Amino acid sequence: MSDYRIEEDTLGAVKIPSEALWGAQTERSRNNFSTGAKMPLEIIKALLQIKKAAAIANKEVQAIDAKKADLIVEAIDQLLNLDDTDLRKDFPLVVYQTGSGTQTNMNVNEVVAHVAQRINSEIEILPNDDVNHGQSSNDIFPTAMNITAAIAVDNLEISIQHLIDELKQKQTKYWKTVKIGRTHLQDATPLTFGQEVSGWVSMLEHDLDYLKTLNRTLSELAMGGTAVGTGLNAAPHFADEIAEQMSVVYEHEFTAETNKFFGLAAHSGLNVVHGAIKTLASDLLKIANDVRFLGSGPRSGYGELNIPANEPGSSIMPGKVNPTQAEAITMAAVRVMGNDVTINVAASQGNFEMNVYKPVLIYTFLESTDLLTGTMYGFADKMIAGLTVNEKRMAELVDRSLMTVTALSPHIGYHESAEIAQQALHDGTTLKVAALKSGLVTEEQFDKWVVPIDMTNIEEK
């Protein structure tokens, strides 16, 4: 048996590996473009689901023969039932190919047609005329992009909520644990660790709200626009039926009610939603940095937090423990920030009727959502869940701080309070010693006015 078979497309004959399920156009792309990551399987699965829905919709209006439609559906179901390893074997194309995703669309068309022929060789299924009936790469690929992006954001939202839930446990547990505040990296007035954590929680709650508000724009599907947005060769109500079926399959509400010229030429939805993902990344970077700086030490740093020992931290320094989960999520965050530049530029390239940066747009978007989803689970479960506070160290830093002098200001004045703080710093004494030495405050007054917990304006939780 030969290692190759010969198939033809509009450009001529092509040698294809004999066991490959793809056809001539896929093979051309495989040989012409070999650099970079493979097209995400989420896109392949979405294209399969859309083509299954298209076959059903076409059958209902008798746009294609019923037996052909049923055979296409059966072939697609076989492919969707494969595990990712087996599915990948038939979809070898890379992201950096044609900017419309046409070659991946044809990869799907050819594989479905070949699987259908293996099921029933008596019914001829053609990649373009049957599997791709009523579709264009120009509308089906952006439809798959929005579907996979919307589901990825749904999963991202779940991971955000999980991290919020873990942080809220710490917020409650340490609501009355007083520590020194810091502004400009310098000592400030006291707050509680619970209050500090509540700020982190609120950041993430806002990020979650931004994403939920913006995610709706990804529900608009370009399906039905075909080549340039006019809907040429698509059956009536074709796009609406596909959107309805996608809503059921993905348990996410999609609609075909959108301007198709917009859907093909622009990816503003992906751009604006990724902007919110970038905002989430910047907030995660701040939170993770706060955690690892506050946990620095254990003897030569801030030392306010005790981080869990998940693995040895050094190949040369025995006993060292590093904040590795914080390091992972901050690396993911900066990657997302870089990805946002890629998406900004790629989304701007909608020349005339079609954007031709589609594969890199969706690949980059999905990389960002995958990175943050995964690292947030790790950060929540392997860092935040095991985090404890060093109350002794927190109390020591509060007692040594000079900024508790702020509590004296309403009683003796700002200028006089500043002089006391500066004198304590100069003499290397506590604030109380300097205050009593000034003669402006009695010990009874100092103890009454400078009460760190009272300075936090703490509310019961």
Side-chain angles (χ1 to χ4, degrees), residues 361-434:
L361 264 165
I362 190 58
Y363 173 78
T364 306
F365 188 100
L366 293 177
E367 183 188 39
S368 291
T369 54
D370 288 349
L371 282 173
L372 293 189
T373 297
T375 55
M376 274 195 290
Y377 277 118
F379 187 64
D381 296 340
K382 296 181 173 65
M383 171 68 87
I384 300 302
L387 199 69
T388 59
V389 305
N390 185 344
E391 294 193 34
K392 181 180 178 181
R393 174 65 170 166
M394 287 183 173
E396 174 192 350
L397 292 175
V398 171
D399 290 342
R400 290 174 51 193
S401 173
L402 303 180
M403 289 303 99
T404 51
V405 76
T406 307
L408 295 179
S409 185
H411 303 285
I412 65 174
Y414 180 92
H415 182 76
E416 289 75 9
S417 298
E419 287 184 340
I420 290 173
Q422 290 163 2
Q423 190 65 48
L425 179 62
H426 179 269
D427 295 345
T429 64
T430 65
L431 188 67
K432 184 174 182 178
V433 168

Side-chain angles (χ1 to χ4, degrees), residues 284-316:
L284 289 170
L285 184 60
K286 178 264 192 296
I287 293 168
N289 275 338
D290 281 358
V291 170
R292 63 176 167 178
F293 289 142
L294 291 174
S296 62
R299 293 190 176 180
S300 301
Y302 290 100
E304 293 186 3
L305 300 180
N306 305 308
I307 61 174
N310 294 325
E311 62 271 313
S314 173
S315 62
I316 192 172

Side-chain angles (χ1 to χ4, degrees), residues 44-98:
I44 304 300
K45 293 175 184 178
L47 288 169
L48 287 168
Q49 292 286 7
I50 297 165
K51 289 182 184 296
K52 177 180 176 179
I56 295 169
N58 281 323
K59 174 185 174 181
E60 289 178 355
V61 297
Q62 299 180 334
I64 63 172
D65 180 78
K67 290 182 179 179
K68 285 192 172 189
D70 291 342
L71 186 53
I72 290 170
V73 169
E74 185 177 353
I76 290 173
D77 283 341
Q78 277 195 15
L79 290 165
L80 289 171
N81 284 330
L82 295 175
D83 61 32
D84 286 356
T85 301
D86 289 335
L87 186 64
R88 172 55 75 193
K89 295 174 184 177
D90 300 318
F91 299 97
L93 302 188
V94 297
V95 170
Y96 297 94
Q97 48 161 286
T98 177

Side-chain angles (χ1 to χ4, degrees), residues 226-447:
T226 63
V228 298
T230 61
L232 180 66
N233 293 348
H237 310 298
F238 177 74
D240 292 327
E241 293 189 28
I242 291 176
E244 185 176 333
Q245 290 188 53
M246 292 303 97
S247 299
V248 173
V249 168
Y250 287 99
E251 298 180 343
H252 183 110
E253 187 174 348
F254 293 104
T255 179
E257 295 298 318
T258 187
N259 184 291
K260 304 304 179 185
F261 306 101
F262 162 80
L264 273 59
H267 292 294
S268 306
L270 287 169
N271 201 5
V272 72
V273 174
H274 195 273
I277 294 171
K278 180 191 69 173
T279 300
L280 168 64
S282 67
D283 287 344
L284 289 170
L285 184 60
K286 178 264 192 296
I287 293 168
N289 275 338
D290 281 358
V291 170
R292 63 176 167 178
F293 289 142
L294 291 174
S296 62
R299 293 190 176 180
S300 301
Y302 290 100
E304 293 186 3
L305 300 180
N306 305 308
I307 61 174
N310 294 325
E311 62 271 313
S314 173
S315 62
I316 192 172
M317 294 174 280
K320 196 170 190 295
V321 175
N322 294 332
T324 51
Q325 290 297 325
E327 291 167 2
I329 201 168
T330 54
M331 284 192 290
V334 297
R335 177 68 177 189
V336 170
M337 293 174 186
N339 284 351
D340 197 62
V341 176
T342 299
I343 288 176
N344 290 165
V345 176
S348 73
Q349 299 303 301
N351 306 122
F352 305 117
E353 277 62 63
M354 188 175 66
N355 179 291
V356 290
Y357 288 70
K358 297 185 193 305
V360 75
L361 264 165
I362 190 58
Y363 173 78
T364 306
F365 188 100
L366 293 177
E367 183 188 39
S368 291
T369 54
D370 288 349
L371 282 173
L372 293 189
T373 297
T375 55
M376 274 195 290
Y377 277 118
F379 187 64
D381 296 340
K382 296 181 173 65
M383 171 68 87
I384 300 302
L387 199 69
T388 59
V389 305
N390 185 344
E391 294 193 34
K392 181 180 178 181
R393 174 65 170 166
M394 287 183 173
E396 174 192 350
L397 292 175
V398 171
D399 290 342
R400 290 174 51 193
S401 173
L402 303 180
M403 289 303 99
T404 51
V405 76
T406 307
L408 295 179
S409 185
H411 303 285
I412 65 174
Y414 180 92
H415 182 76
E416 289 75 9
S417 298
E419 287 184 340
I420 290 173
Q422 290 163 2
Q423 190 65 48
L425 179 62
H426 179 269
D427 295 345
T429 64
T430 65
L431 188 67
K432 184 174 182 178
V433 168
L436 298 181
K437 183 179 179 181
S438 73
L440 297 173
V441 179
T442 66
E443 184 172 6
E444 182 182 0
Q445 288 172 325
F446 187 93
D447 292 341

